Amino acid sequence: MDVIQTNSLTKTYDGKGGISDVTLSVGEGIVYGFLGPNGSGKSTFVRTLLGLLQPTSGEGYILGEPIGTTKSREQVGYLPELFRYPDWLTGKQLLESHADLCKIPVRQRNKRIEEVIELVGMTGRDNGRISGFSKGMSQRIGLACAILNDPKVIFLDEPTSALDPIGRKDVRDLMVYLRDQGKTVFLNSHLLYEVESVCDHVSIVHQGEMIAQGPWRELMMTEAQVEIVTEGSISAPFPPFITDYQKGKAEEGRTRWVVQLETEKDIPKILHHLSSRHIDVYEVKPINPHLEDVFMHWVNRKKESAYVDNQ
Amino acid sequence: MWTISKLTFKEIVSKRIFMITIVMTLIFLALYGTAIYFAGKEGAEVGDGGQGTEAILLQQFVSSQLLGVGLYFSSFITALLAILSSVSTISGEVSSHQIDTWLMRPISRSQFVLGKFMGLAFLMIAYAVCLFFSIILLHQGIGTDWMALNLQPMQLIKAVSVFAIQPFVLIAFGLLLSTRMTTLNAGIVSIMLYGAAFIGGFIEQFGALVEKTSLVNIGIIMSLVFPIDSMYRKMTILLFDTADNPLSLAQGGMFTSISTPGNVMVWYAVLYGVVAVILAIYSFKNRDV
Ligand SMILES: Nc1ncnc2c1ncn2[C@@H]1O[C@H](COP(=O)(O)OP(=O)(O)OP(=O)(O)O)[C@@H](O)[C@H]1O
Ligand SMILES: [Mg+2]
């Protein structure tokens, strides 16, 4: 059974903005990346799934339950993009109140609270009032809240927006940990690096429209670029099908090239070609595309196909 | 639902403004007690000579007026607190997005609104009841025998119940506004209506005094629109038995009542509150937050 499933789900604000016509299904035990630039409708989509917003049209299900029902939210965790918690509570009291709402049995409560506090790295700091928390600490306590009820599906809306590099790594590790436990993580992000190392599957949204979805690698390898460092100062050592390359500067008898590829599969071909000509290769490094480039690629693809469709 | 009630209750109690309110209330009670004490002493001295109807009339008038002042001010503070605490309760959390993490839990919108209402209503009604009995105790206890009115327990119970209807209605109404309006707007609307109800009540009193039915009707319409002032007057009548007492006109004054709201009015006010809560639940049910 799909953990999340939507059918032409649409939420617009008086006909403007929001996100339209999203059909997707998310399986169990994966990290699903929902990628898009600012204002593309990511938060709108998640908030609609959680019943905070009333869908304009279409339908959605979480764990088989129609969205908007209390049942659909029983095994769900959520870290909002604008995480604000009652600042007169202490971190621990906040978690206790949520444990109450999730009907976690009293006996397991304290143990579970300690567990999640540990998981988000807030041990020893949970007895302070939230009003005295830094932004990063609030986001961490929000994460603790999101995983408190051991949910099957966890929605994280830009979970690292307030975190330092260590915190970002912690969150990445946490997502992997959750996935390894068979949970599904739905991650909203506009940061490529946040998504790349953990997401199994992504969708790309742009201006309220879903423009592509699929396995991470496939979607990102749109405009593969590699950096290759070869020996010497030879000119143009590449096979003829490579037409677009730039020669960088030569250092210590080595030359740095930036090569534009059609697909990822060209990389081994180039290496074959180079080794058959006995050219030494010191380094091959894929250059990650900028998210904007990936977006533009898929936006253009979408427009083209729409054009073809119209013909 | 009870978790939300508990949180609402705790939230208010944990705020500094709550402490300030309690302290101010105590100061008010102390001042009132002092005033009653001296008024009682003076009254007893002045009243010592006369035994006639006139002296009794004077005693009854002054005493009920003083009790009326105390209760009126109490009802005013309670009303203000009820308005201020209820108008921000939902709108405030929506605008700060604090509500998101509560509403994404497996609780329904109706449970949320009802929980909020219960928490607020419990707190404010408890406050109103405490204030009511503090005033009565001060008035009956400190002001010497001269000041004490003959109040039966049944009368007190009826009066305090009606006294508690006021915060009940105000909270229900404030909550209803707060599901749709910003805190500021809801506060302004509530306070305007409260003021209008007060003026309506005043017009009704005046109308009854000069026997002008049209004025009385204006007052009645106003108390139908917002049954707040009428509850205060009903309470004074229950307490002083003004309307069908031969002394009624003598006792009447700014803070007691001439034109009588009937029992129907009490039920109307309760119904008004209940309907407001139901409307609040309905209005919040499908709202985007
Ligand atoms: N409450 C609202 N009323 C009207 N329009 C809104 C509202 N919330 C969002 N929008 C519009 O809907 C669109 C999508 O907004 P949303 O917040 O879902 O984007 P997002 O992808 O989460 O962006 P970000 O990366 O900045 O968080 C935007 O164009 C925004 O202007
Ligand atoms: Mg967003």
Side-chain angles (χ1 to χ4, degrees):
Chain A
M1 186 182 63
D2 286 322
V3 176
I4 303 167
Q5 163 133 46
T6 66
N7 230 327
S8 301
L9 191 61
T10 298
K11 171 68 199 177
T12 54
Y13 303 93
D14 300 324
K16 293 191 296 275
I19 189 159
S20 304
D21 202 19
V22 178
T23 301
L24 56 74
S25 54
V26 179
E28 210 176 329
I30 61 167
V31 180
Y32 192 97
F34 205 59
L35 266 173
N38 289 142
S40 53
K42 305 180 296 289
S43 303
T44 303
F45 183 67
V46 166
R47 287 162 55 75
T48 308
L49 286 180
L50 290 167
L52 298 173
L53 302 174
Q54 198 72 12
T56 311
S57 65
E59 51 191 28
Y61 301 89
I62 296 177
L63 297 162
E65 299 290 338
I67 56 172
T69 57
T70 51
K71 239 178 152 107
S72 72
R73 298 194 291 267
E74 264 169 15
Q75 309 206 47
V76 171
Y78 171 47
L79 171 71
E81 161 180 52
L82 300 162
F83 43 96
R84 270 287 301 273
Y85 296 93
D87 53 11
W88 49 278
L89 289 174
T90 67
K92 189 144 188 208
Q93 286 169 337
L94 175 76
L95 294 175
E96 280 165 359
S97 307
H98 275 273
D100 253 358
L101 286 176
C102 300
K103 302 197 175 66
I104 298 177
V106 182
R107 284 188 199 167
Q108 296 161 25
R109 193 161 297 178
N110 282 333
K111 192 165 150 276
R112 181 64 192 157
I113 289 175
E114 262 161 42
E115 258 171 43
V116 292
I117 283 175
E118 164 109 46
L119 272 174
V120 298
M122 284 286 288
T123 314
R125 289 187 288 178
D126 55 305
N127 277 323
R129 285 199 180 223
I130 294 177
S131 54
F133 279 12
S134 71
K135 227 171 146 205
M137 284 160 80
S138 297
Q139 195 157 33
R140 281 168 191 261
I141 209 79
L143 272 168
C145 226
I147 56 175
L148 178 67
N149 56 337
D150 197 23
K152 284 206 173 124
V153 45
I154 301 124
F155 293 92
L156 303 177
D157 198 344
E158 294 175 23
T160 59
S161 57
L163 298 183
D164 53 27
I166 300 171
R168 290 181 182 188
K169 184 169 177 312
D170 287 350
V171 170
R172 205 154 42 220
D173 293 346
L174 182 66
M175 287 192 281
V176 172
Y177 168 81
L178 290 169
R179 175 183 58 194
D180 291 347
Q181 293 207 321
K183 318 283 186 206
T184 301
V185 178
F186 193 96
L187 171 68
N188 270 6
S189 184
H190 56 97
L191 304 170
L192 199 58
Y193 65 81
E194 186 172 278
V195 181
E196 67 184 347
S197 48
V198 284
C199 285
D200 310 291
H201 207 94
V202 290
S203 357
I204 297 177
V205 283
H206 182 82
Q207 291 178 356
E209 239 189 302
M210 176 120 123
I211 52 176
Q213 59 175 320
W216 159 258
R217 292 234 127 244
E218 275 177 32
L219 288 192
M220 288 306 129
M221 277 305 150
T222 51
E223 306 218 335
Q225 267 188 340
V226 283
E227 200 176 68
I228 299 178
V229 179
T230 60
E231 62 159 311
S233 48
I234 31 174
S235 58
F238 300 115
F241 65 87
I242 301 292
T243 50
D244 189 358
Y245 57 86
Q246 283 167 356
K247 188 174 175 178
K249 60 176 184 244
E251 285 167 353
E252 299 165 23
R254 294 175 191 177
T255 310
R256 198 170 282 271
W257 309 82
V258 174
V259 185
Q260 190 75 39
L261 308 172
E262 286 283 307
T263 82
E264 216 184 352
K265 294 191 181 96
D266 288 346
I267 298 175
K269 285 187 196 158
I270 294 175
L271 291 183
H272 274 303
H273 181 83
L274 291 176
S275 64
S276 70
R277 297 185 157 214
H278 305 291
I279 298 173
D280 291 340
V281 176
Y282 291 91
E283 210 177 294
V284 180
K285 194 168 70 183
I287 299 175
N288 279 329
H290 285 293
L291 192 55
E292 299 77 56
D293 298 336
V294 178
F295 284 137
M296 285 333 289
H297 173 89
W298 288 106
V299 171
N300 292 336
R301 270 279 281 268
K302 178 102 183 175
K303 279 189 192 138
E304 275 163 28
S305 72
Y307 180 71
V308 173
D309 285 349
N310 285 341
Q311 297 252 308
Chain B
M1 184 177 89
W2 297 116
T3 313
I4 299 292
S5 303
K6 233 167 44 188
L7 278 167
T8 311
F9 187 90
K10 275 203 244 161
E11 168 163 19
I12 296 178
V13 172
S14 75
K15 284 201 172 141
R16 183 169 313 142
I17 188 72
F18 182 76
M19 271 317 291
I20 295 175
T21 309
I22 295 292
V23 170
M24 295 301 276
T25 308
L26 290 178
I27 292 175
F28 160 64
L29 287 174
L31 284 176
Y32 183 70
T34 318
I36 289 293
Y37 176 74
F38 285 110
K41 227 164 80 173
E42 291 293 309
E45 276 165 23
V46 174
D48 251 356
Q51 278 297 320
T53 353
E54 212 158 287
I56 294 176
L57 265 182
L58 180 74
Q59 184 264 334
Q60 291 279 308
F61 178 75
V62 171
S63 174
S64 62
Q65 278 295 293
L66 282 172
L67 184 55
V69 172
L71 289 175
Y72 195 84
F73 193 68
S74 305
S75 109
F76 179 71
I77 307 178
T78 315
L80 216 58
L81 285 177
I83 291 174
L84 293 181
S85 59
S86 61
V87 289
S88 68
T89 184
I90 287 181
S91 57
E93 287 192 27
V94 169
S95 64
S96 74
H97 280 280
Q98 232 182 64
I99 207 167
D100 292 12
T101 40
W102 299 127
L103 288 185
M104 62 71 54
R105 291 302 176 196
I107 55 167
S108 65
R109 296 277 179 106
S110 354
Q111 280 172 320
F112 187 83
V113 174
L114 223 80
K116 282 272 168 204
F117 175 73
M118 297 286 192
L120 283 174
F122 182 76
L123 186 70
M124 284 317 301
I125 288 176
Y127 178 82
V129 170
C130 288
L131 203 52
F132 181 87
F133 281 114
S134 307
I135 294 285
I136 297 280
L137 278 180
L138 284 176
H139 184 265
Q140 299 293 83
I142 288 184
T144 71
D145 286 349
W146 185 84
M147 184 63 79
L149 291 169
N150 183 17
L151 301 174
Q152 302 300 317
M154 214 35 224
Q155 243 178 321
L156 281 179
I157 289 173
K158 278 189 191 163
V160 77
S161 314
V162 173
F163 190 70
I165 292 176
Q166 190 184 15
F168 171 81
V169 169
L170 284 171
I171 285 171
F173 189 77
L175 197 69
L176 170 60
L177 293 187
S178 128
T179 59
R180 285 283 154 176
M181 289 184 187
T182 63
T183 305
L184 189 63
N185 292 350
I188 289 172
V189 171
S190 291
I191 287 180
M192 295 283 258
L193 273 174
Y194 179 75
F198 173 79
I199 292 170
F202 188 75
I203 291 175
E204 187 180 338
Q205 298 281 303
F206 185 70
L209 202 64
V210 301
E211 292 175 1
K212 267 258 193 288
T213 334
S214 57
L215 290 183
V216 173
N217 286 344
I218 291 178
I220 291 176
I221 288 170
M222 207 43 235
S223 44
L224 287 176
V225 174
F226 209 50
I228 290 300
D229 195 64
S230 53
M231 285 306 99
Y232 171 76
R233 280 182 291 122
K234 182 72 191 171
M235 186 272 296
T236 60
I237 285 159
L238 286 170
L239 211 52
F240 304 136
D241 256 338
T242 324
D244 39 51
N245 185 324
L247 298 176
S248 67
L249 262 182
Q251 287 189 3
M254 177 74 182
F255 300 104
T256 53
S257 191
I258 307 163
S259 167
T260 346
N263 282 332
V264 181
M265 205 59 207
V266 175
W267 293 115
Y268 175 79
V270 172
L271 190 70
Y272 188 96
V274 172
V275 169
V277 174
I278 293 171
L279 285 180
I281 288 173
Y282 185 77
S283 134
F284 194 56
K285 201 154 195 71
N286 294 323
R287 191 201 145 160
D288 288 350
V289 296

